[in-house]
Amino acid sequence: MKTTFSTLLNSIQEQILNNEIDLKGICMILNKEVPHYNWVGFYFMNDKKRILEIGPYIGAKTDHTEIAFGKGICGQVAVSGKTFVVDDVYAQDNYLACSIQTKAEIVVPLFSNDILIGQLDIDSHEKDPYSEEDVNFLESLCNLIAHKPELYTKYLPE
Ligand code: SME
């Protein structure tokens, strides 16, 4: 790894506070700095339609621009509101394949004032790459993002 999670979190926090970064920029940094983060993107809740809608992302183009609540790893997190770590995507029945290179996935919920508004989805080309440190780092990052509505309000449904 080129940098530690705490250095990375501090750097992103500073850029968020100084309005120097948007969600696509956050995806880019994560993808560049963490070798096992190969597809990085955001999905946002549309409660009326009961689907997730894709937001900014970095990585291979995906067919999954809309995901019904309950479908796939992302759709399950839309229902549970809990971080979901999948060490081996092929061992999952309820999984939506994005790329054949993907072996593992982590999905972290994004809450704003206790309301589930979206999620950060990260795919890895490595099997079983995510540790407790990844979970803590990504949950802290989502918490930082949640406190800066300018970053995401434009992606929320009317
Ligand atoms: N694998 C996800 C779908 C989204 S893509 O990975 C970008 C899922 O099962 O929900």
Side-chain angles (χ1 to χ4, degrees):
M1 190 138 120
K2 293 177 202 162
T3 180
T4 64
F5 282 137
S6 78
T7 311
L8 197 51
L9 193 65
N10 286 338
S11 158
I12 296 173
Q13 179 169 30
E14 202 173 302
Q15 293 180 66
I16 290 176
L17 289 174
N18 295 329
N19 301 311
E20 291 167 351
I21 197 162
D22 57 11
L23 291 186
K24 180 112 177 182
I26 292 174
C27 294
M28 283 171 77
I29 291 194
L30 294 179
N31 175 250
K32 180 165 165 257
E33 297 296 335
V34 188
H36 57 286
Y37 291 1
N38 303 109
W39 189 98
V40 182
F42 291 89
Y43 282 93
F44 291 94
M45 306 279 286
N46 186 325
D47 290 309
K48 227 189 237 166
K49 294 188 183 169
R50 296 195 53 81
I51 56 168
L52 290 160
E53 296 172 331
I54 202 161
Y57 70 92
I58 290 287
K61 199 166 176 293
T62 177
D63 290 337
H64 304 298
T65 54
E66 293 185 349
I67 298 175
F69 288 1
K71 297 279 180 217
I73 309 304
C74 296
Q76 292 178 74
V77 172
V79 174
S80 72
K82 293 204 171 78
T83 296
F84 194 166
V85 180
V86 179
D87 299 332
D88 174 7
V89 292
Y90 293 104
Q92 291 287 321
D93 293 336
N94 191 357
Y95 165 68
L96 301 169
C98 173
S99 148
I100 50 160
Q101 283 183 292
T102 298
K103 296 200 173 65
E105 177 161 3
I106 182 169
V107 179
V108 178
L110 189 56
F111 285 95
S112 170
N113 298 320
D114 292 336
I115 296 169
L116 183 59
I117 57 159
Q119 49 188 241
L120 174 57
D121 176 20
I122 301 182
D123 290 353
S124 181
H125 296 170
E126 286 172 41
K127 204 170 154 184
D128 197 5
Y130 304 116
S131 67
E132 196 64 30
E133 283 184 33
D134 292 79
V135 174
N136 292 337
F137 165 62
L138 295 171
E139 288 182 348
S140 303
L141 176 60
C142 283
N143 199 29
L144 284 179
I145 293 169
H147 284 90
K148 189 81 171 179
E150 298 93 311
L151 287 172
Y152 57 80
T153 24
K154 63 178 162 199
Y155 302 109
L156 301 180
E158 314 252 301

